[in-house]
Amino acid sequence: MITLDLTLPDAHYPIHIGRHLLAQVDLLKPHLPIPSVAIVTNTTIAPLYLELLEQALRSAGVACRSIVLPDGESYKTWDTLNLIFDALLAGNCERKTTLIALGGGVIGDMTGFAAACYQRGAPFIQIPTTLLAQVDSSVGGKTAINHPLGKNMIGAFYQPRAVIADMALLDTLPDRELSAGLAEVIKYGLLGDAAFLGWLESHIEQLRARDPDSLQYAVKRCCEMKADIVGQDEKESGVRALLNLGHTFGHAIEAGLGYGEWLHGEAVAAGMVLAAATSHELGWLSEADVERVVRLIERAGLPVKAPNLGPAEWLRHMGHDKKVEQGKLRFVLLKQLGQAVISSDVGPEILQRVLTGGHITA
Ligand code: NAD
Ligand code: GLY
């Protein structure tokens, strides 16, 4: 097991990465203010892993209730969030009851938001079960639900007490979901580490084949980068925005097609291609650089062409992006491969060319 530390001005927490950590209650127990937890999970993950976690906790003297939500991005809503509050209140859960998110990014984001709100703040722990959640969403304290008009628009910054990334849980993850997680992995190489990007280019097949050492290295490297960035800028007033590479386009795809139609990672993948194409239009990336991005994303089993939403729909959805300032769109773009920047220099002609060009489905 590897343990990283995420250090913030007024808090710090461990990120444990290894195999078969789920039943290791000694990793959880030090973070429980009272021996009582509510595990939040979904109908797909519960039959696979819930009993193991519950049994381990109960045998360590921890009172345990479970809240099993419907599965899917389309359920990342107020109504589902209320199911968590209903269960916590019906079970007389106290403010010191720890919420445990056992799931992917959808469960993690909703449980974290519920914890931020329940009795004005209950402790919570992330046990991410997808690659995407292990490399990105479980770390850093962004929590949210979707609104029909915009992705992750209602939420809070609220940090977990610990993150436990059990790589063995990925054994049951469908291939399509593994690829979706690889989109966020590639994002880290593109935005800030050219050497890691090169490593990904030579290990992408091992990652897709779930080679344990390659997967663990990728999770560790991404969590190191994320912990470093969040440590510098917890509330996204600067450098943290770089973690949104591909997301301005990606969130528009998710909202434009309807949540759950494309997976989040798939939308980010096609969004990163559009960000690379925009960077090329600005004279920052060469055609060969863009081709390198396309090739790696394709080899990861991800879409490289975005759906054709039509320019007006693209702009409408991108207008709800959280990076918009005084009505102006701001994009995360690539000065070079391995170096991202925030830019508000993308004029309407460039945007028009990118959104009607060769990286959009005909
Ligand atoms: P997800 O949570 O929907 O999980 C994907 C699917 O895999 C689901 O059907 C789930 O039930 C299933 N699953 C999960 N773990 C499994 C396992 N071990 N075995 C078998 N099936 C399993 O999707 P995701 O890709 O993990 O997360 C996407 C969400 O994360 C989006 O809502 C996105 O906005 C959010 N996100 C948040 C952050 C953040 O910083 N908070 C960062 C990136 C993404
Ligand atoms: N996934 C983007 C962030 O955590 O800031």
Side-chain angles (χ1 to χ4, degrees):
M1 182 180 84
I2 303 160
T3 300
L4 307 174
D5 193 57
L6 198 158
T7 305
L8 298 161
D10 53 4
H12 70 96
Y13 56 89
I15 303 163
H16 300 296
I17 303 165
R19 281 185 75 82
H20 306 298
L21 306 184
L22 185 62
Q24 291 194 28
V25 187
D26 50 325
L27 300 177
L28 284 167
K29 245 188 141 176
H31 306 288
L32 309 180
I34 59 170
S36 169
V37 304
I39 303 168
V40 183
T41 189
N42 73 24
T43 48
T44 304
I45 299 154
L48 295 170
Y49 300 116
L50 183 57
E51 199 180 327
L52 182 61
L53 180 59
E54 280 178 342
Q55 266 179 8
L57 284 160
R58 286 196 179 117
S59 62
V62 178
C64 204
R65 72 179 54 254
S66 296
I67 303 169
V68 181
L69 302 176
D71 182 10
E73 183 75 39
S74 60
Y75 290 102
K76 197 177 164 183
T77 59
W78 270 121
D79 287 348
T80 317
L81 192 70
N82 261 327
L83 296 178
I84 304 179
F85 297 135
D86 292 346
L88 293 173
L89 288 165
N92 292 321
C93 291
E94 299 170 6
R95 183 191 248 169
K96 286 187 178 172
T97 299
T98 300
L99 274 65
I100 298 180
L102 176 68
V106 170
I107 287 293
D109 281 13
M110 279 198 296
T111 307
F113 190 31
C117 302
Y118 188 66
Q119 300 201 20
R120 302 198 182 94
F124 96 107
I125 290 175
Q126 290 269 19
I127 305 186
T129 65
T130 63
L131 179 61
L132 183 140
Q134 293 188 350
V135 297
D136 200 347
S137 63
S138 65
V139 174
K142 274 192 184 176
T143 75
I145 54 168
N146 298 328
H147 186 280
L149 291 179
K151 171 89 182 147
N152 293 334
M153 276 291 154
I154 319 291
F157 287 98
Y158 192 70
Q159 299 294 339
R161 301 278 175 110
V163 179
I164 298 167
D166 182 344
M167 310 291 303
L169 306 188
L170 301 184
D171 292 351
T172 53
L173 194 66
D175 286 341
R176 186 178 169 199
E177 299 291 349
L178 189 84
S179 286
L182 288 174
E184 301 277 10
V185 175
I186 292 168
K187 176 188 85 174
Y188 284 97
L190 289 173
L191 76 89
D193 186 347
F196 183 51
L197 186 66
W199 182 88
L200 286 172
E201 288 175 316
S202 54
H203 288 79
I204 197 73
E205 276 76 30
Q206 284 96 317
L207 289 166
R208 288 190 74 187
R210 300 168 198 244
D211 168 56
D213 291 343
S214 304
L215 272 178
Q216 179 151 325
Y217 175 71
V219 173
K220 172 181 154 289
R221 184 67 199 113
C222 295
C223 287
E224 279 169 352
M225 289 178 72
K226 182 139 191 191
D228 178 42
I229 291 172
V230 174
Q232 294 174 53
D233 178 23
E234 181 184 3
K235 302 273 171 73
E236 197 169 306
S237 49
V239 67
R240 185 167 183 169
L242 300 182
L243 291 169
N244 291 315
L245 176 64
H247 286 58
T248 305
F249 295 110
H251 285 168
I253 295 171
E254 288 185 83
L257 294 182
Y259 298 115
E261 195 60 36
W262 275 34
L263 301 181
H264 175 72
E266 293 169 344
V268 167
M272 289 191 296
V273 172
L274 293 177
T278 311
S279 308
H280 172 61
E281 290 285 343
L282 289 167
W284 295 343
L285 291 192
S286 66
E287 260 179 48
D289 288 333
V290 178
E291 193 41 44
R292 234 182 112 184
V293 175
V294 169
R295 182 80 192 103
L296 180 58
I297 288 175
E298 208 164 39
R299 286 170 65 208
L302 289 160
V304 291
K305 284 195 182 211
N308 191 351
L309 301 180
E313 274 296 280
W314 274 111
L315 290 178
R316 189 168 77 79
H317 289 295
M318 291 197 300
H320 292 299
D321 189 75
K322 288 185 285 308
K323 289 183 297 306
V324 169
E325 268 183 15
Q326 298 183 52
K328 205 162 167 41
L329 286 175
R330 297 189 310 140
F331 291 88
V332 183
L333 300 176
L334 295 169
K335 271 277 173 192
Q336 54 185 17
L337 298 184
Q339 191 198 345
V341 290
I342 299 276
S343 172
S344 47
D345 295 343
V346 184
E349 310 78 32
I350 289 184
L351 210 47
Q352 175 78 12
R353 269 205 298 282
V354 169
L355 294 177
T356 54
H359 301 291
I360 300 284
T361 305

